[in-house]
Structure formats: C-alpha cells, structure tokens
Amino acid sequence: MTVNSGSPAWYLRRLSRMGPREVGGRVGDTVRRRRWRSEPPDCPSVTGARFTAVLPAGTFAAIPPDAAKRLIAEADRLMYGHAEFFGVVRDDMTDPDWWCDPKTGRRAPWGYAFDVPYRNEDAVGDIKQIWEPSRHQYLTQLAAAYAITGDERYAERVAEHLRSWWKANPPLRGVHWISGIELGIRLLSWVWIRRLLDGWPGAAGLFEDNPVALNQIWHHQRWLAAFPSRGSSANNHVVAEAAGQFAAACAFGWFPSSARWRTDALRSLERHLRSNTFPSGLNRELATEYHGLVLELGLAAVAEADAADVPVPATIRLVLLRMTDALAAVVDNRLRPPRQGDADDGHGLVVDGEGTDRWASLLATGDAVFGRLAWWPTVTGTDVRTPLLAALIRPYANKGTAPAVARPASRPGHFADAGMTILRGPAEIWCRCDGGPHGFLSIAAHAHADALSVEVRHDGVDVLADPGTFCYHGQPGWRQYFRSTLGHNTLQLDGGDQSVSGGPFLWTRQARSRVLVADASDASGGGTARWCAEHDGYQPSVHRRRVELTAASQELRIVDEVRGRHGPHRAVRLAFHLGPAITADLADNRAVLTWTRDGEERSAVLDLPGQLSWRSHRGETDPPLGWYSPGFGRKEPATTLVGTGFADGSAPLGEFTTVLRFRGPGDE
C-alpha cells in the first residue's frame, strides 16, 4: 500500500530507513533552518569581481550548422513566449509567473522556504511544473543563441528574466529555496549564461557588477554548503548540488568562502560520483535517465575545473569515462538506452534545440573527451553542447595512444554488478533483462518493482516496452501504477508487488534478485544468447525466469517458474506491455503484432502461456492499465496483454512459456 508523502506514517517509515549519522545531520539541519529564519546570513561585500572563465576563441565556429539552426529555432519560440514543460504547453514565457503552476492553476504560497508544503499539490500545485522553468535552462538556450548570432534581443530577454526571478525570489523566501538539486542546477545555468553572454556589453552589469546577482549567487552557495542531501537521500541530488556549487565557486569565485566551497564541493563530487556509480560504469539508481543526468553534471563540473585550472582527482574522470563506455554499450541500434526505473526528463546543462538526441550528444562528447572505442555505435547526430564542453575539457590522458586504464575490448553485454544484461540478435533485436538490485540506498527512491522484467525492441521500436514513469507528486494512483510489478513485463503473484512501497520515493521491503546465467554473446551471427535469474519478492516462493534469444529463428523465448514452498493455489498475473506503435490482434493465447518502421510494415507473433486466460487492456483508468509514458508528465494509451490464472502443483509450481517470434519478409 502506498503511503502519501508527508503523512505521519510516511515520516515514521522514512525515519526507519535512516542511520544514526543521517538522523543527527538532519537534526542539525532543522536547528540551522530555525536560526536562519530569525537571523538570515548576510552576503559579504564584493569589489573588483571579474569573470574569466570564458570560452576559447573560435569555439562557436565548431558548432555544426544544423545544430545551430535547431537552437535558434528554439530560441525564437521562446522569444515569442512559447515553451513546453512536461507535456504542458505555455504561452506566457515572455513574462513568466515564477510561482504559478499552469497545469492546476495554483500558485505556491509565500513564506519562509522551509515552511512551504511543496509535496502538497492542493496547496502548492504541481511542484515540478513550478520548479522546472526556474532551473533557467531555457535561458541557457537563449544565451547560446546570442553567442552564435550576436543578436542582442536574446541577451536582453535573458537579462529581463534573471532580474525578474531575482526580484520575485529573495533568499530563503518561497518555493524555489527548498530543494538543493534546484539550487545546484540553477547555479550551473547561471555560470553558462554568464559565459555565453560574455560578448554582450551588459554581461558584467547583469552579474559581477550587480549587487542583487552577487547576493543571489552567494546565498545559493551558502545554502548548498549548509544543507547537503544526506545518507539515504545522497543520490543524484547530491551530485547536482556538488556540481553546481563547484561550478559557481570556480567561475564566480569572488567571495571569502569561495575557496572553501570549491574544495568541499569537489570532495563531495568525487565521493558521490564514485558511490553513485557501479564499477561497470552504470548508475547505481538503475534509472537510466539519472545515468544521463549524473554524466552531464560530471562533465559540466570537469569543464569548470579545467576552465579555472583547478586540478581534479583522477577518479572523477575515470568514473565519467566508465559511465560513457557503459552508455555506449547498452544503447540499441538507434542509440536509445534502456527505459529503466524513474525518469523525469532532468538535464544537467541544456544549450540545444528541440530534436537534438540527448544520448547521441553524450556519446559525441565522450568521443571528444575520452576517445571512442572501436565497438562504439556510430553517432550521426550533431549538437551544440559537445563543441562547447570539448573547448573547455582537457582530452583524457593518453587519448589516441595506450589508454590510461583498461577499457572494454569488445561491447559488454552483461553488467554483473548492476544485474543488467543486454541480449542482441539479428534484424536489430535488442532485449534488456533485469536481474539487478532493487535500487540505490536504503530508500531506493527511483526504483520500480520490476525484478526480472524484460524490455524488447526491434530496430529501435518498443515491442515489449517498459511503460515509463509519468509522474512523481500529486497523482498517487498513477505513481503507484507506473512503479508497480503489474506495470512491467514480469510476473505478479497474489495481486501484490515484489517490493513494498512506503511512499512515492520510498520502498520499505525490497526484492533481492540474483543472476544465474548470463551468456550475452551477440546472437546476430548465429547461436543462442541466454539469461536466467530469480528473485525472492514473493516469499516463501521464488520467481525464476529464463530468456533465450535464438538467431536462426529470430525467436525470443521467456520461461517463468514459481519455485519453492507455497500453498496449493497462488494467483498469477503475467503482463506484457506493448509499445505505443504496436497493434495487437489477440485470439486465445496468440497475439499477432504489427507496426511500421520507416514506411515498412513489420510484424511478430507472440505465443502466450496457454495455462492463463488472456485479455487485452488499453487506456483503462479504474484501475490504470494499458499506458505508456513517453516522457515526464505525458502518457498515452498502449496495449497491455495480461494473463491470469493459478500456479498449481509441486515445485516448480507452474511453468509459463512465452515465445516472441519476429517475422521476416515473406514469412507467414
């Protein structure tokens, strides 16, 4: 059962996931917040500040023309006031209300920041809708448009909006001073805005010669130094906090505390990049979009270090190298990574226009900074951000010669520490198998109850899809569904989830998985790739799943077993979520799947376990079933096939075989 965030029961459950050190730190935070309410800290006076972290001459000439064209088109839409955040179109961005949620029409209350009930949508509105524009990443786009074109209209709009925001959001007042990740990303945006506006005559007057700006920059850094994410919350948030703090302390190092902030933030960044990342290079939250966010933040922080000539520990570059190689290893043939765990469309640094491929951009930057390996997929897209970062980041040691560290000689298919296995077959068949940990840290905040789930694509098209995330706050029924076991391509017993949720970002019991077989040999050249894993989320029973991908028949076979001690009847539901492009014709226990890719009709046959009774669901709301979320805040109907029945007999108690066979041209 989901417990609403902020309720007494939630606080008790949340407290139970903390250790003594974290509890002590949070008590100290509470005392500090009370003291700041009555005695707010004052910004020291600053004289003679200069901004020196500029881009090298000739940087903008390296931006590909098509990437620049996309960016300028985006900037022009913004100049007309048009923007979209999480599926909500806004036409008020010429003069935005920084406290208003356009989705609900509610306006966040004024007051001391830590008194604002930001988790309560009835009181505040959708907090993500309010926070996102105030990350000021749309202003980095406008600033980049100025840098490319020299058109001062873009720079003047940036200045108007920054002055408006600073006036409406004085330090420690209101909803934008609550969450450290927001402050960290906002600082990073301000650093890049100042850099990209460097050729504009008003840049110094907007930043270093502006007491209001100096006050905001100082208070942001003072806040981050005082209230870091702690213990069970030290996930991607603490990386964003450290990256933003470090970037600002490098580029805006004008304050008495700047050197200390820079040192402390760099230490935190190094520690948490390591702790948030498996040795294999995958992010420990096992939520792919947060892998992208952390990688972007780390690259941006290294860019600031190199621009300011601040040495960084070698471990930081090593972690970012491994993250980049891991990303290159797991993407499909269209450069799409797995859709695993939570995703909220969060970015570390945005300077590109609509239509730019985020993952291609990261791989292009990885190529520029670390050097691509022979097995990396080819990146055909272009972006603005790569030339900007590459102009600041020093190439990795020994790039182009002998590597400083051992990098994979061939494309990895199995990541043992993360429990992720990628099976690849002919005709661009891609299959992700999940046998890893439930999530990261004691609360596993961004995990889903998806143990042993599979995700299957054909030439980049979702066939058996991970439905995604859709929402965080304000819609608990939808949050629960998209995190649930039934909301993934795996087996559910007795109507419950494998792991038990205690709130929208809290799991109180976590299923433990282990991989038994992982032969991820590329099946495209012949033979069969195999995977087998099990989890204990349905104690005393164990769910075991075997997956085989056979090249000759273009066939994926999935066998589910319920093993161990159990009663005579356990209710089974087995779900297969189809991608939004897939049309399914279900008859008994066979579904014919059809879709179009690049104008070509394609198809597959899905033979489902005959022991179960199968029904097709699409766009149902009571309860939710049959949905796909292409991005945060957006959902669309999609077909979900659900088989129901009972597992009977002795161990193994029920064996359910599913076969997905892709048809080639001329196949009947």
Side-chain angles (χ1 to χ4, degrees):
M1 179 180 70
T2 297
V3 177
N4 288 334
S5 178
S7 69
W10 176 83
Y11 278 111
L12 288 173
R13 292 170 190 248
R14 185 66 183 84
L15 183 64
S16 72
R17 312 306 290 177
M18 301 180 192
R21 184 174 180 179
E22 180 179 356
V23 172
R26 290 178 182 266
V27 169
D29 290 346
T30 300
V31 172
R32 190 174 298 110
R33 288 167 183 160
R34 290 177 178 173
R35 187 173 71 247
W36 282 19
R37 178 201 295 273
S38 58
E39 301 176 11
D42 293 324
C43 174
S45 61
V46 174
T47 58
R50 293 175 57 244
F51 183 82
T52 59
V54 298
L55 287 162
T59 296
F60 298 107
I63 295 174
D66 59 331
K69 183 178 179 180
R70 287 194 305 273
L71 170 63
I72 294 166
E74 184 74 21
D76 287 341
R77 283 192 290 272
L78 290 166
M79 290 295 291
Y80 283 107
H82 305 311
E84 181 178 329
F85 300 104
F86 308 135
V88 176
V89 176
R90 295 185 61 163
D91 297 318
D92 63 342
M93 292 301 291
T94 54
D95 184 19
D97 182 339
W98 303 109
W99 293 39
C100 182
D101 165 27
K103 189 174 80 174
T104 64
R106 297 187 181 97
R107 201 166 186 274
W110 176 260
Y112 185 57
F114 300 113
D115 292 341
V116 177
Y118 71 96
R119 297 187 181 97
N120 184 343
E121 186 169 302
D122 292 335
V124 175
D126 185 332
I127 192 61
K128 293 283 287 180
Q129 288 290 341
I130 296 173
W131 277 345
E132 190 67 16
S134 289
R135 290 186 171 188
H136 291 167
Q137 293 176 325
Y138 77 96
L139 294 181
T140 58
Q141 293 173 308
L142 288 172
Y146 162 76
I148 291 171
T149 66
D151 188 336
E152 294 192 1
R153 294 180 308 119
Y154 300 124
E156 290 164 357
R157 177 62 57 81
V158 172
E160 290 171 8
H161 281 208
L162 284 178
R163 290 192 173 104
S164 167
W165 194 93
W166 290 333
K167 182 179 180 181
N169 296 278
L172 303 178
R173 307 301 294 181
V175 73
H176 296 300
W177 290 89
I178 296 172
S179 174
I181 187 174
E182 304 304 315
L183 277 74
I185 290 176
R186 193 155 54 238
L187 276 177
L188 189 58
S189 295
W190 292 353
V191 168
W192 274 90
I193 289 167
R194 176 60 185 88
R195 174 175 290 127
L196 293 165
L197 294 185
D198 192 60
W200 180 53
L206 180 62
F207 280 93
E208 55 265 33
D209 295 337
N210 181 359
V212 175
L214 293 172
N215 187 54
Q216 286 276 350
I217 293 168
W218 184 84
H219 272 282
H220 272 66
Q221 294 185 81
R222 175 68 178 261
W223 193 108
L224 290 171
F227 302 115
S229 293
R230 302 180 184 278
S232 56
S233 295
N235 53 11
N236 65 86
H237 283 232
V238 77
V239 175
E241 293 159 10
Q245 174 81 303
F246 178 72
C250 287
F252 301 148
W254 309 320
F255 307 101
S257 298
S258 291
R260 174 171 56 82
W261 287 339
R262 185 167 55 243
T263 299
D264 292 347
L266 183 59
R267 184 184 301 114
S268 175
L269 183 68
E270 191 275 338
R271 173 189 171 193
H272 290 291
L273 276 175
R274 283 190 294 106
S275 64
N276 275 254
T277 308
F278 285 113
S280 66
L282 289 179
N283 184 264
R284 286 185 185 270
E285 293 197 74
L286 295 173
T288 309
E289 286 221 358
Y290 288 107
H291 182 107
L293 173 64
V294 169
L295 180 54
E296 288 171 352
L297 292 166
L299 290 168
V302 170
E304 297 308 324
D306 289 351
D309 201 24
V310 175
V312 300
T315 49
I316 288 180
R317 296 182 198 266
L318 177 58
V319 169
L320 299 177
L321 167 64
R322 287 174 172 162
M323 291 183 73
T324 306
D325 280 342
L327 176 62
V330 301
V331 295
D332 64 21
N333 69 304
R334 301 278 179 147
L335 302 185
R336 293 182 62 215
R339 283 169 53 90
Q340 183 180 21
D342 272 348
D344 72 347
D345 298 352
H347 289 71
L349 174 64
V350 179
V351 289
D352 277 283
E354 184 178 354
T356 302
D357 187 320
R358 175 187 196 174
W359 308 104
S361 170
L362 277 169
L363 291 176
T365 303
D367 185 3
V369 174
F370 303 118
R372 74 186 309 277
L373 296 173
W375 54 261
W376 273 30
T378 300
V379 176
T380 56
T382 62
D383 70 314
V384 173
R385 189 176 63 187
T386 288
L388 302 184
L389 288 173
L392 297 177
I393 301 176
R394 295 167 186 156
Y396 191 65
N398 300 322
K399 177 187 171 186
T401 59
V405 297
R407 297 174 68 184
S410 58
R411 189 175 202 168
H414 177 56
F415 297 82
D417 46 14
M420 181 187 292
T421 306
I422 307 293
L423 307 181
R424 299 177 188 270
E428 309 300 348
I429 300 172
W430 176 98
C431 174
R432 173 181 66 87
C433 302
D434 179 6
H438 175 65
F440 182 47
L441 302 175
S442 61
I443 63 173
H446 291 297
H448 291 187
D450 58 356
L452 309 197
S453 63
V454 296
E455 186 183 359
V456 181
R457 299 178 192 155
H458 186 276
D459 196 13
V461 174
D462 291 310
V463 179
L464 302 182
D466 185 302
T469 300
F470 177 54
C471 66
Y472 281 171
H473 301 280
Q475 301 177 77
W478 289 103
R479 175 65 169 153
Q480 183 174 2
Y481 168 69
F482 277 98
R483 301 168 86 211
S484 70
T485 298
L486 184 62
H488 295 83
N489 298 318
T490 188
L491 182 142
Q492 182 194 63
L493 279 184
D494 296 335
D497 288 338
Q498 313 150 338
S499 297
V500 177
S501 172
F505 298 98
L506 170 64
W507 296 91
T508 55
R509 183 176 62 77
Q510 304 176 18
R512 295 173 299 177
S513 302
R514 63 171 184 152
V515 176
L516 305 174
V517 176
D519 179 4
S521 304
D522 193 333
S524 59
T528 300
R530 294 179 173 85
W531 174 85
C532 179
E534 63 185 23
H535 76 80
D536 66 355
Y538 299 128
Q539 294 182 7
S541 300
V542 171
H543 173 207
R544 178 176 292 182
R545 169 170 275 185
R546 305 194 307 272
V547 178
E548 296 181 351
L549 177 58
T550 302
S553 57
Q554 297 190 42
E555 176 181 290
L556 187 78
R557 179 177 295 267
I558 303 169
V559 180
D560 290 291
E561 301 176 23
V562 182
R563 306 167 66 91
R565 296 184 295 109
H566 40 257
H569 297 282
R570 298 207 70 173
V572 170
R573 283 201 290 186
L574 182 60
F576 290 106
H577 299 262
L578 308 182
I582 308 298
T583 299
D585 183 7
L586 176 66
D588 296 325
N589 65 317
R590 167 170 285 198
V592 177
L593 314 181
T594 55
W595 66 97
T596 302
R597 180 57 150 167
D598 298 332
E600 177 184 335
E601 294 292 329
R602 306 191 184 185
S603 65
V605 174
L606 185 63
D607 285 317
L608 301 158
Q611 309 100 300
L612 303 178
S613 176
W614 289 89
R615 285 187 57 198
S616 177
H617 303 264
R618 185 177 181 87
E620 299 173 10
T621 59
D622 189 17
L625 189 59
W627 295 91
Y628 178 94
S629 175
F632 194 83
R634 293 173 287 150
K635 67 180 186 301
E636 59 187 273
T639 299
T640 297
L641 305 176
V642 178
T644 59
F646 293 93
D648 296 307
S650 57
L653 185 147
E655 184 171 294
F656 308 98
T657 300
T658 304
V659 179
L660 174 63
R661 185 176 298 106
F662 292 96
R663 290 171 163 176
D667 289 350
E668 294 295 332

